[in-house]
Amino acid sequence: MVMSASRRRWMLRIGAPLAVALVAGCAAGVGGTASGTASSQEALLERARGFWAAQQASDSVKAWTFEELSKDPSWTLEAYLKRGGIVYDAAEVRKVEEIDGDRAKVSVFTRYSVPMLRLKGQEAVLQDEWRLIDGVWFHAHKRSVINPGS
């Protein structure tokens, strides 16, 4: 098929910038593990920082408001408060590792102690899981390997 000169000019004027924009848009999602909109990432980081600030302050009532469990009718605040056992001396939310639909992972540096086990000053970088529920990010509940019903 032979293109007319005016059609070629139109393709170069309109089509080329459009193709560049499409390629640039696709490339933005490649190379990094985080996806999702910038506003979604910022909302997630804000929620994660709030949750970990409450954990570090040992404010379990405040932390409950960030928990996925708070949306589960089979859980109560009282049951949540009975969990515990870990004391967070430091918690630093570092970055969003990935957002995949309604699931996300956030990198969090923690320094913690487990008094019952006489462990002090332990450090770890967590891949903290989050769930998007009704447009709000909530800290994901991790099932216990020892007690799957917890």
Side-chain angles (χ1 to χ4, degrees):
M1 176 179 190
V2 176
M3 243 190 254
S4 69
S6 63
R7 188 173 225 168
R8 258 182 275 151
R9 278 193 300 273
W10 181 85
M11 288 294 285
L12 287 172
R13 223 175 332 146
I14 304 297
L18 181 60
V20 168
L22 285 171
V23 169
C26 291
V30 176
T33 55
S35 60
T37 65
S39 62
S40 181
Q41 287 188 31
E42 282 304 314
L44 173 56
L45 286 171
E46 184 179 327
R47 294 279 294 170
R49 288 181 185 123
F51 172 77
W52 284 102
Q55 288 286 18
Q56 188 175 348
S58 297
D59 187 347
S60 296
V61 174
K62 177 80 172 171
W64 169 252
T65 65
F66 293 93
E67 290 282 6
E68 175 185 36
L69 292 175
S70 70
K71 297 297 184 187
D72 184 343
S74 66
W75 272 85
T76 64
L77 174 58
E78 293 76 21
Y80 178 76
L81 294 174
K82 289 179 184 176
R83 295 174 25 160
I86 299 176
V87 177
Y88 292 96
D89 304 313
E92 176 192 340
V93 175
R94 292 195 168 158
K95 67 179 182 174
V96 174
E97 292 292 338
E98 70 178 276
I99 296 177
D100 185 12
D102 66 345
R103 296 176 180 263
K105 288 185 183 174
V106 175
S107 175
V108 182
F109 166 80
T110 60
R111 187 173 47 252
Y112 63 95
S113 300
V114 185
M116 286 179 38
L117 300 177
R118 296 183 184 167
L119 291 175
K120 294 182 181 182
Q122 303 297 303
E123 294 184 352
V125 176
L126 308 175
Q127 296 301 304
D128 198 31
E129 295 185 23
W130 288 76
R131 302 279 184 276
L132 189 63
I133 302 171
D134 297 328
V136 179
W137 288 105
F138 286 89
H139 188 251
H141 173 60
K142 292 182 181 149
R143 304 265 181 229
S144 168
V145 175
I146 297 169
N147 184 7
S150 70

